[in-house]
Amino acid sequence: MDIKNKSMAVFVMNEDVRGIMAIYDDETHETPTFYKTFDQDLQVGDLIVVPASTRLGFTTNKVTEVDVEPDINRHNEVKWVAGSIKLENYQSYVEQENQMIAQINKLEKRKAREAVKEELEKSLGEDLKGVTLIEAS
């Protein structure tokens, strides 16, 4: 048996290796790239980290297909998925931060209102007592 592409041999030797297709930018309608991974939890739409020729050596891709049957005669080298990005953690952090910021804004608004009220009471003193500025209708 002559395997032309040695990077495909792992598919023959280990049945746990999955073939997946992924793209860098789904707006450009590029042809997906074939990758290999041991991650059995990857699903279509997941973000993954893959090798790239960028200055740090990695970039992100979006999974477009999972459990792709490998072509062991494929000519180009097949690279490994370096990892996946768990957006649930990120989204949870952002939501928690947004809630904290909302509470800070509420506190700042209340403190500002109290400061204005205190300043008015100092400035107007007795003249302010008993004065209703707005009546509910």
Side-chain angles (χ1 to χ4, degrees), residues 25-109:
D25 184 355
D26 49 353
E27 291 183 13
T28 61
H29 305 291
E30 68 184 85
T31 302
T33 302
F34 185 76
Y35 293 100
K36 53 192 171 189
T37 183
F38 280 108
D39 189 339
Q40 301 300 314
D41 296 326
L42 283 180
Q43 299 177 6
V44 171
D46 286 351
L47 296 180
I48 56 174
V49 178
V50 295
S53 59
T54 60
R55 76 189 143 115
L56 296 177
F58 293 93
T59 191
T60 56
N61 271 214
K62 186 177 190 179
V63 176
T64 58
E65 192 176 349
V66 294
D67 298 322
V68 178
E69 191 62 35
D71 174 6
I72 62 169
N73 294 316
R74 181 181 220 104
H75 294 293
N76 56 331
E77 178 186 5
V78 177
K79 301 194 185 257
W80 286 97
V81 171
S84 62
I85 299 172
K86 302 300 180 200
L87 287 178
E88 299 83 22
N89 293 341
Y90 168 77
Q91 291 165 336
S92 174
Y93 302 149
V94 169
E95 179 58 33
Q96 289 175 48
E97 181 182 44
N98 287 340
Q99 290 174 3
M100 180 185 67
I101 290 169
Q103 290 298 320
I104 291 169
N105 289 340
K106 188 176 179 180
L107 177 64
E108 287 175 342
K109 186 176 179 181

Coordinates of all heavy atoms in Angstrom, one line a residue, residues 25-109:
D25 N -13.6 32.5 6.6 CA -14.5 33.6 6.5 C -15.7 33.2 5.7 O -15.7 32.9 4.5 CB -13.8 34.8 5.8 CG -14.7 36.0 5.7 OD1 -15.9 36.0 6.1 OD2 -14.2 37.1 5.2
D26 N -16.9 33.0 6.4 CA -18.1 32.5 5.7 C -18.7 33.6 4.8 O -19.6 33.2 4.0 CB -19.1 31.9 6.6 CG -19.4 32.8 7.8 OD1 -18.8 33.8 8.0 OD2 -20.4 32.4 8.6
E27 N -18.2 34.8 4.8 CA -18.8 35.8 3.9 C -18.1 35.8 2.5 O -18.7 36.3 1.5 CB -18.7 37.2 4.5 CG -19.6 37.4 5.7 CD -19.5 38.8 6.3 OE1 -19.0 39.7 5.6 OE2 -20.0 38.9 7.4
T28 N -17.0 35.2 2.4 CA -16.3 35.1 1.1 C -16.6 33.9 0.3 O -16.1 33.8 -0.9 CB -14.7 35.2 1.3 OG1 -14.3 34.0 2.1 CG2 -14.3 36.5 2.0
H29 N -17.4 33.0 0.8 CA -17.7 31.8 0.1 C -16.5 31.0 -0.3 O -16.5 30.4 -1.4 CB -18.7 32.1 -1.1 CG -19.9 32.9 -0.7 ND1 -20.9 32.4 0.1 CD2 -20.2 34.2 -0.9 CE1 -21.8 33.3 0.3 NE2 -21.4 34.4 -0.3
E30 N -15.5 31.0 0.5 CA -14.3 30.2 0.2 C -14.5 28.7 0.3 O -15.5 28.3 0.9 CB -13.2 30.6 1.2 CG -13.5 30.1 2.6 CD -12.5 30.6 3.6 OE1 -12.6 31.7 4.1 OE2 -11.5 29.8 3.9
T31 N -13.7 28.0 -0.3 CA -13.7 26.5 -0.2 C -13.3 26.1 1.1 O -12.2 26.5 1.6 CB -12.8 25.9 -1.3 OG1 -13.2 26.4 -2.6 CG2 -12.9 24.4 -1.3
P32 N -14.0 25.3 1.8 CA -13.6 24.8 3.2 C -12.3 24.0 3.1 O -12.0 23.4 2.1 CB -14.8 23.9 3.6 CG -15.9 24.4 2.8 CD -15.4 24.8 1.5
T33 N -11.6 24.1 4.2 CA -10.3 23.3 4.4 C -10.6 22.1 5.2 O -11.3 22.1 6.2 CB -9.3 24.2 5.0 OG1 -9.1 25.4 4.2 CG2 -7.9 23.5 5.2
F34 N -9.9 21.0 4.9 CA -10.0 19.7 5.6 C -9.0 19.7 6.7 O -7.8 20.0 6.5 CB -9.8 18.6 4.6 CG -10.0 17.2 5.2 CD1 -11.3 16.7 5.4 CD2 -8.9 16.4 5.5 CE1 -11.5 15.4 5.9 CE2 -9.1 15.1 6.0 CZ -10.4 14.6 6.3
Y35 N -9.5 19.4 7.9 CA -8.6 19.2 9.1 C -8.9 17.9 9.8 O -9.9 17.3 9.6 CB -8.9 20.4 10.1 CG -8.5 21.7 9.6 CD1 -9.5 22.6 9.1 CD2 -7.2 22.2 9.7 CE1 -9.2 23.9 8.7 CE2 -6.9 23.5 9.2 CZ -7.8 24.3 8.7 OH -7.5 25.5 8.3
K36 N -8.0 17.6 10.7 CA -8.1 16.3 11.5 C -8.1 16.7 13.0 O -7.5 17.7 13.4 CB -7.1 15.3 11.2 CG -5.6 15.8 11.3 CD -4.7 14.8 10.7 CE -3.3 15.4 10.6 NZ -2.3 14.6 9.8
T37 N -8.9 15.9 13.7 CA -9.0 16.2 15.2 C -9.4 14.9 15.9 O -10.0 14.0 15.3 CB -10.1 17.3 15.4 OG1 -10.1 17.6 16.8 CG2 -11.4 16.9 15.0
F38 N -9.1 14.9 17.2 CA -9.6 13.8 18.1 C -10.8 14.3 18.8 O -11.5 13.5 19.5 CB -8.5 13.5 19.1 CG -7.5 12.5 18.6 CD1 -6.2 13.0 18.4 CD2 -7.7 11.2 18.4 CE1 -5.2 12.2 17.9 CE2 -6.7 10.4 17.9 CZ -5.5 10.8 17.7
D39 N -11.2 15.6 18.7 CA -12.3 16.2 19.5 C -13.6 15.6 18.9 O -14.1 16.0 17.8 CB -12.3 17.7 19.3 CG -13.3 18.4 20.2 OD1 -14.3 17.7 20.7 OD2 -13.1 19.6 20.5
Q40 N -14.3 14.8 19.7 CA -15.5 14.1 19.3 C -16.7 15.0 19.5 O -17.8 14.7 19.1 CB -15.7 12.8 20.1 CG -14.6 11.8 19.8 CD -14.5 11.4 18.4 OE1 -15.4 11.1 17.7 NE2 -13.2 11.4 17.9
D41 N -16.5 16.2 20.2 CA -17.6 17.1 20.6 C -17.8 18.2 19.6 O -18.8 18.9 19.6 CB -17.4 17.7 22.0 CG -17.4 16.6 23.0 OD1 -18.2 15.6 22.9 OD2 -16.7 16.7 24.0
L42 N -16.9 18.3 18.6 CA -17.0 19.4 17.6 C -18.3 19.3 16.8 O -18.7 18.2 16.4 CB -15.9 19.5 16.7 CG -14.6 20.1 17.2 CD1 -13.5 20.0 16.2 CD2 -14.8 21.5 17.7
Q43 N -19.0 20.4 16.6 CA -20.2 20.4 15.8 C -20.1 21.5 14.8 O -19.3 22.5 14.9 CB -21.4 20.7 16.7 CG -21.6 19.6 17.8 CD -22.8 20.0 18.7 OE1 -23.5 21.0 18.5 NE2 -22.9 19.2 19.8
V44 N -21.0 21.4 13.8 CA -21.1 22.5 12.8 C -21.4 23.8 13.4 O -22.2 23.9 14.3 CB -22.1 22.1 11.7 CG1 -22.4 23.3 10.8 CG2 -21.7 20.9 10.9
G45 N -20.6 24.8 13.1 CA -20.8 26.2 13.7 C -19.8 26.5 14.8 O -19.7 27.6 15.1
D46 N -19.2 25.5 15.3 CA -18.2 25.7 16.4 C -17.0 26.5 15.8 O -16.6 26.3 14.6 CB -17.7 24.4 17.0 CG -18.7 23.7 17.9 OD1 -19.7 24.4 18.2 OD2 -18.4 22.6 18.3
L47 N -16.3 27.2 16.7 CA -15.1 27.9 16.3 C -13.9 27.1 16.7 O -13.9 26.6 17.9 CB -15.0 29.3 16.9 CG -16.1 30.3 16.5 CD1 -15.9 31.7 17.2 CD2 -16.1 30.5 15.0
I48 N -12.9 27.0 15.9 CA -11.7 26.2 16.2 C -10.5 27.0 16.0 O -10.5 28.0 15.2 CB -11.7 24.9 15.4 CG1 -11.7 25.2 13.9 CG2 -12.8 23.9 15.8 CD1 -11.5 24.0 13.0
V49 N -9.4 26.6 16.6 CA -8.1 27.2 16.4 C -7.3 26.2 15.5 O -7.2 25.0 15.8 CB -7.4 27.4 17.7 CG1 -6.0 28.0 17.5 CG2 -8.2 28.3 18.7
V50 N -6.7 26.8 14.4 CA -6.0 26.0 13.4 C -4.7 26.6 13.1 O -4.5 27.9 13.2 CB -6.8 25.7 12.2 CG1 -8.1 24.9 12.5 CG2 -7.2 27.1 11.5
P51 N -3.7 25.8 12.7 CA -2.4 26.4 12.2 C -2.6 27.4 11.1 O -3.5 27.2 10.2 CB -1.6 25.2 11.8 CG -2.3 24.0 12.4 CD -3.7 24.4 12.5
A52 N -1.8 28.4 11.0 CA -1.9 29.4 10.0 C -0.5 30.1 9.8 O 0.4 29.9 10.6 CB -2.9 30.5 10.3
S53 N -0.3 30.8 8.7 CA 0.9 31.5 8.4 C 0.9 32.9 9.0 O 1.7 33.7 8.6 CB 1.2 31.5 6.9 OG 0.1 32.1 6.3
T54 N 0.1 33.1 10.0 CA 0.1 34.5 10.6 C 1.3 34.6 11.6 O 1.9 33.6 11.9 CB -1.2 34.7 11.4 OG1 -1.4 33.6 12.4 CG2 -2.4 34.6 10.5
R55 N 1.5 35.7 12.2 CA 2.7 35.9 13.0 C 2.7 35.1 14.3 O 3.7 34.7 14.8 CB 2.8 37.4 13.3 CG 1.9 37.9 14.4 CD 2.0 39.4 14.5 NE 0.7 39.9 14.7 CZ 0.3 40.5 15.8 NH1 1.2 40.8 16.7 NH2 -0.9 40.8 16.0
L56 N 1.5 34.7 14.8 CA 1.5 33.8 15.9 C 1.3 32.3 15.6 O 1.3 31.5 16.5 CB 0.3 34.3 16.9 CG 0.5 35.7 17.5 CD1 -0.7 36.0 18.3 CD2 1.8 35.8 18.3
G57 N 1.1 32.1 14.3 CA 1.0 30.7 13.9 C -0.3 30.0 13.9 O -0.4 28.9 13.6
F58 N -1.3 30.8 14.4 CA -2.7 30.2 14.5 C -3.7 31.2 14.1 O -3.5 32.4 14.2 CB -3.0 29.7 15.9 CG -2.1 28.5 16.3 CD1 -0.9 28.7 17.0 CD2 -2.5 27.2 16.0 CE1 -0.1 27.7 17.4 CE2 -1.7 26.2 16.4 CZ -0.5 26.4 17.0
T59 N -4.9 30.7 13.7 CA -6.1 31.6 13.5 C -7.3 30.8 13.8 O -7.2 29.6 14.2 CB -6.1 32.0 12.0 OG1 -7.1 33.1 11.9 CG2 -6.4 30.9 11.0
T60 N -8.5 31.4 13.7 CA -9.7 30.8 14.0 C -10.4 30.4 12.7 O -10.3 31.1 11.7 CB -10.7 31.6 14.8 OG1 -10.9 32.9 14.2 CG2 -10.1 31.9 16.2
N61 N -11.2 29.3 12.7 CA -12.0 28.9 11.6 C -13.4 28.5 12.2 O -13.5 28.2 13.4 CB -11.4 27.7 10.9 CG -10.5 28.0 9.8 OD1 -10.4 27.3 8.8 ND2 -9.7 29.1 9.9
K62 N -14.3 28.4 11.3 CA -15.7 27.9 11.7 C -15.9 26.6 11.1 O -15.8 26.4 9.9 CB -16.7 28.9 11.2 CG -18.1 28.7 11.7 CD -19.0 29.8 11.2 CE -20.4 29.8 11.8 NZ -21.2 30.9 11.4
V63 N -16.4 25.6 11.9 CA -16.6 24.3 11.4 C -17.9 24.3 10.5 O -18.9 24.8 10.9 CB -16.8 23.3 12.5 CG1 -17.2 21.9 12.0 CG2 -15.6 23.2 13.4
T64 N -17.7 23.7 9.3 CA -18.8 23.6 8.3 C -19.4 22.2 8.1 O -20.5 22.0 7.7 CB -18.4 24.2 7.0 OG1 -17.3 23.4 6.5 CG2 -18.1 25.7 7.1
E65 N -18.5 21.2 8.5 CA -19.0 19.8 8.3 C -18.1 19.0 9.3 O -16.9 19.2 9.5 CB -18.7 19.4 6.9 CG -19.4 18.1 6.5 CD -19.2 17.8 5.0 OE1 -18.7 18.7 4.2 OE2 -19.5 16.7 4.6
V66 N -18.7 17.9 9.8 CA -18.0 17.0 10.7 C -18.1 15.6 10.2 O -19.0 15.3 9.4 CB -18.6 17.1 12.2 CG1 -18.3 18.5 12.8 CG2 -20.0 16.8 12.2
D67 N -17.2 14.8 10.7 CA -17.2 13.3 10.3 C -17.1 13.2 8.8 O -17.8 12.3 8.2 CB -18.4 12.6 10.9 CG -18.4 12.6 12.4 OD1 -17.4 12.5 13.0 OD2 -19.5 12.7 13.0
V68 N -16.2 13.9 8.2 CA -15.9 13.9 6.8 C -15.0 12.7 6.5 O -14.0 12.5 7.1 CB -15.3 15.2 6.3 CG1 -15.0 15.1 4.8 CG2 -16.2 16.4 6.6
E69 N -15.4 11.9 5.6 CA -14.6 10.7 5.2 C -13.3 11.1 4.5 O -13.4 11.9 3.5 CB -15.4 9.8 4.3 CG -14.8 8.4 4.0 CD -14.7 7.6 5.3 OE1 -15.6 7.7 6.2 OE2 -13.7 6.8 5.4
P70 N -12.2 10.7 5.1 CA -10.9 11.2 4.5 C -10.6 10.5 3.2 O -10.9 9.4 2.9 CB -9.9 10.8 5.6 CG -10.5 9.7 6.3 CD -12.0 9.9 6.2
D71 N -9.9 11.3 2.3 CA -9.4 10.7 1.1 C -7.9 10.5 1.3 O -7.1 11.5 1.3 CB -9.7 11.7 -0.1 CG -9.0 11.3 -1.4 OD1 -8.4 10.2 -1.4 OD2 -9.1 12.0 -2.4
I72 N -7.4 9.3 1.5 CA -6.0 9.1 1.9 C -5.1 9.4 0.7 O -3.9 9.5 0.9 CB -5.7 7.7 2.4 CG1 -6.1 6.6 1.4 CG2 -6.5 7.5 3.7 CD1 -5.5 5.3 1.8
N73 N -5.6 9.6 -0.4 CA -4.7 10.0 -1.6 C -4.7 11.5 -1.8 O -4.2 12.0 -2.8 CB -5.2 9.3 -2.8 CG -5.0 7.8 -2.7 OD1 -3.9 7.3 -2.3 ND2 -6.0 7.0 -3.1
R74 N -5.3 12.2 -0.9 CA -5.3 13.7 -1.0 C -3.9 14.2 -1.1 O -3.0 13.7 -0.4 CB -6.0 14.2 0.3 CG -6.1 15.7 0.5 CD -6.8 16.0 1.8 NE -7.7 17.1 1.6 CZ -9.0 16.9 1.6 NH1 -9.6 15.8 1.7 NH2 -9.8 18.0 1.3
H75 N -3.6 15.2 -1.9 CA -2.2 15.6 -2.1 C -1.7 16.6 -1.1 O -0.5 16.6 -0.8 CB -2.1 16.2 -3.5 CG -2.3 15.2 -4.6 ND1 -1.5 14.2 -4.8 CD2 -3.4 15.1 -5.5 CE1 -1.9 13.4 -5.8 NE2 -3.1 13.9 -6.2
N76 N -2.5 17.5 -0.6 CA -2.0 18.5 0.4 C -2.0 18.0 1.8 O -2.8 17.1 2.2 CB -2.9 19.8 0.3 CG -4.4 19.6 0.5 OD1 -4.9 18.5 0.2 ND2 -5.0 20.5 1.1
E77 N -1.1 18.5 2.6 CA -0.9 18.1 4.0 C -2.2 18.5 4.7 O -2.8 19.6 4.6 CB 0.3 18.8 4.6 CG 0.5 18.5 6.1 CD 1.6 19.3 6.7 OE1 2.1 20.2 6.1 OE2 1.8 19.0 7.9
V78 N -2.6 17.6 5.6 CA -3.8 17.9 6.4 C -3.3 18.2 7.8 O -2.6 17.4 8.5 CB -4.8 16.6 6.5 CG1 -5.9 16.9 7.4 CG2 -5.2 16.3 5.1
K79 N -3.7 19.4 8.3 CA -3.3 19.9 9.6 C -4.3 19.5 10.7 O -5.4 19.2 10.5 CB -3.1 21.4 9.5 CG -2.0 21.7 8.5 CD -1.6 23.1 8.6 CE -0.6 23.5 7.4 NZ 0.7 23.5 7.7
W80 N -3.7 19.5 11.9 CA -4.5 19.2 13.1 C -5.3 20.5 13.6 O -4.8 21.6 13.5 CB -3.6 18.7 14.2 CG -3.1 17.3 14.1 CD1 -1.9 17.0 13.6 CD2 -3.8 16.1 14.4 NE1 -1.8 15.6 13.6 CE2 -3.0 15.1 14.1 CE3 -5.1 15.9 14.9 CZ2 -3.3 13.7 14.3 CZ3 -5.4 14.5 15.1 CH2 -4.6 13.5 14.8
V81 N -6.4 20.3 14.2 CA -7.1 21.3 14.9 C -6.4 21.5 16.2 O -6.2 20.5 16.9 CB -8.6 20.9 15.1 CG1 -9.3 21.9 16.1 CG2 -9.4 20.8 13.8
A82 N -6.0 22.7 16.5 CA -5.3 22.9 17.8 C -6.2 23.0 19.0 O -5.8 22.7 20.1 CB -4.5 24.2 17.7
G83 N -7.4 23.4 18.8 CA -8.4 23.4 19.9 C -9.7 24.1 19.4 O -9.8 24.5 18.3
S84 N -10.6 24.1 20.4 CA -11.9 24.7 20.1 C -12.1 25.9 21.0 O -11.5 25.9 22.1 CB -13.0 23.7 20.2 OG -13.1 23.2 21.5
I85 N -13.0 26.8 20.6 CA -13.3 27.9 21.4 C -14.7 27.7 22.0 O -15.6 27.6 21.3 CB -13.2 29.2 20.6 CG1 -11.8 29.4 20.0 CG2 -13.7 30.4 21.4 CD1 -11.7 30.5 19.0
K86 N -14.7 27.7 23.3 CA -16.0 27.6 24.0 C -16.6 28.9 24.3 O -16.3 29.6 25.2 CB -15.8 26.8 25.4 CG -15.1 25.4 25.2 CD -16.0 24.5 24.3 CE -15.3 23.2 24.1 NZ -15.8 22.5 23.0
L87 N -17.5 29.3 23.4 CA -18.2 30.6 23.4 C -19.1 30.8 24.6 O -19.3 31.9 25.1 CB -19.0 30.9 22.2 CG -18.1 31.2 20.9 CD1 -19.0 31.4 19.7 CD2 -17.2 32.4 21.2
E88 N -19.5 29.7 25.2 CA -20.4 29.7 26.4 C -19.8 30.5 27.5 O -20.4 31.3 28.2 CB -20.9 28.4 26.9 CG -21.6 27.5 25.9 CD -20.7 26.8 24.9 OE1 -19.5 26.6 25.2 OE2 -21.2 26.5 23.8
N89 N -18.5 30.2 27.8 CA -17.7 30.9 28.8 C -17.6 32.4 28.5 O -17.9 33.2 29.4 CB -16.3 30.3 29.0 CG -16.4 28.9 29.5 OD1 -17.4 28.4 30.1 ND2 -15.3 28.1 29.3
Y90 N -17.2 32.7 27.3 CA -17.1 34.1 26.9 C -18.4 34.8 27.1 O -18.4 35.9 27.6 CB -16.5 34.1 25.5 CG -16.6 35.5 24.9 CD1 -15.7 36.5 25.2 CD2 -17.6 35.9 24.0 CE1 -15.8 37.8 24.7 CE2 -17.7 37.1 23.5 CZ -16.8 38.1 23.8 OH -16.9 39.3 23.3
Q91 N -19.4 34.3 26.5 CA -20.7 34.9 26.6 C -21.2 35.1 28.0 O -21.8 36.1 28.4 CB -21.8 34.1 25.8 CG -21.5 34.2 24.3 CD -22.2 33.1 23.5 OE1 -22.6 32.1 24.0 NE2 -22.4 33.4 22.2
S92 N -20.9 34.2 28.9 CA -21.3 34.3 30.3 C -20.5 35.4 31.0 O -21.1 36.2 31.7 CB -20.9 33.0 31.0 OG -21.1 33.1 32.4
Y93 N -19.2 35.6 30.7 CA -18.4 36.6 31.2 C -19.0 38.0 30.8 O -19.1 38.9 31.6 CB -16.9 36.5 30.8 CG -16.2 35.3 31.2 CD1 -15.2 34.8 30.4 CD2 -16.6 34.5 32.3 CE1 -14.6 33.6 30.7 CE2 -16.0 33.4 32.6 CZ -15.0 32.9 31.8 OH -14.3 31.7 32.1
V94 N -19.3 38.1 29.5 CA -19.8 39.4 28.9 C -21.1 39.7 29.6 O -21.4 40.9 30.0 CB -19.9 39.3 27.4 CG1 -20.7 40.5 26.9 CG2 -18.6 39.2 26.8
E95 N -22.0 38.7 29.8 CA -23.3 39.0 30.4 C -23.2 39.4 31.8 O -23.8 40.3 32.3 CB -24.2 37.7 30.3 CG -25.6 37.9 30.9 CD -26.4 39.0 30.4 OE1 -26.3 39.3 29.1 OE2 -27.2 39.6 31.1
Q96 N -22.3 38.7 32.6 CA -22.0 39.1 34.0 C -21.5 40.5 34.1 O -21.9 41.3 34.9 CB -21.1 38.1 34.6 CG -21.7 36.7 34.8 CD -20.7 35.8 35.4 OE1 -19.9 36.1 36.3 NE2 -20.6 34.6 34.8
E97 N -20.6 40.9 33.2 CA -20.0 42.2 33.2 C -21.1 43.2 32.9 O -21.1 44.3 33.5 CB -18.8 42.3 32.2 CG -18.2 43.7 32.2 CD -17.1 43.8 31.2 OE1 -17.3 43.3 30.0 OE2 -16.1 44.4 31.5
N98 N -21.9 42.9 31.9 CA -23.0 43.9 31.5 C -23.9 44.1 32.7 O -24.4 45.2 32.9 CB -23.8 43.4 30.3 CG -23.0 43.5 29.0 OD1 -22.0 44.3 29.0 ND2 -23.3 42.8 28.0
Q99 N -24.2 43.1 33.5 CA -25.1 43.2 34.6 C -24.4 44.1 35.7 O -25.1 44.9 36.3 CB -25.5 41.8 35.2 CG -26.4 41.0 34.3 CD -26.6 39.6 34.8 OE1 -26.1 39.2 35.9 NE2 -27.4 38.8 34.1
M100 N -23.1 43.8 35.9 CA -22.4 44.6 36.9 C -22.4 46.1 36.5 O -22.6 47.0 37.3 CB -20.9 44.1 37.0 CG -20.1 44.9 38.0 SD -18.3 44.3 37.9 CE -17.9 44.9 36.3
I101 N -22.1 46.4 35.2 CA -22.1 47.8 34.7 C -23.5 48.4 34.9 O -23.6 49.6 35.2 CB -21.6 47.8 33.2 CG1 -20.1 47.4 33.2 CG2 -21.9 49.2 32.6 CD1 -19.6 47.2 31.8
A102 N -24.5 47.7 34.6 CA -25.9 48.2 34.8 C -26.1 48.6 36.2 O -26.7 49.6 36.5 CB -26.9 47.2 34.3
Q103 N -25.6 47.8 37.2 CA -25.8 48.1 38.6 C -25.0 49.3 39.0 O -25.4 50.1 39.7 CB -25.4 46.9 39.4 CG -26.3 45.7 39.4 CD -27.7 46.1 39.9 OE1 -27.9 46.8 40.9 NE2 -28.7 45.6 39.2
I104 N -23.8 49.4 38.4 CA -22.9 50.6 38.7 C -23.6 51.8 38.2 O -23.6 52.9 38.9 CB -21.5 50.4 38.1 CG1 -20.8 49.3 38.9 CG2 -20.7 51.7 38.1 CD1 -19.5 48.9 38.2
N105 N -24.1 51.8 36.9 CA -24.8 52.9 36.4 C -26.0 53.3 37.2 O -26.2 54.5 37.4 CB -25.2 52.6 34.9 CG -24.1 52.6 34.0 OD1 -23.0 53.1 34.3 ND2 -24.3 51.9 32.8
K106 N -26.8 52.4 37.7 CA -27.9 52.6 38.5 C -27.5 53.3 39.8 O -28.1 54.3 40.3 CB -28.6 51.3 38.8 CG -30.0 51.5 39.5 CD -30.6 50.1 39.6 CE -31.9 50.1 40.4 NZ -32.5 48.8 40.5
L107 N -26.4 52.8 40.4 CA -25.9 53.4 41.7 C -25.4 54.8 41.5 O -25.7 55.7 42.2 CB -24.8 52.5 42.2 CG -24.0 53.0 43.5 CD1 -25.0 53.0 44.6 CD2 -22.9 52.1 43.8
E108 N -24.6 55.0 40.3 CA -24.1 56.3 40.0 C -25.3 57.3 39.8 O -25.2 58.5 40.3 CB -23.2 56.3 38.8 CG -21.9 55.7 39.1 CD -21.0 55.5 37.9 OE1 -21.5 55.6 36.7 OE2 -19.8 55.3 38.0
K109 N -26.3 56.9 39.2 CA -27.5 57.8 38.9 C -28.2 58.2 40.2 O -28.5 59.3 40.5 CB -28.5 57.1 38.0 CG -29.6 57.9 37.5 CD -30.5 57.2 36.5 CE -31.7 58.0 36.1 NZ -32.6 57.3 35.2

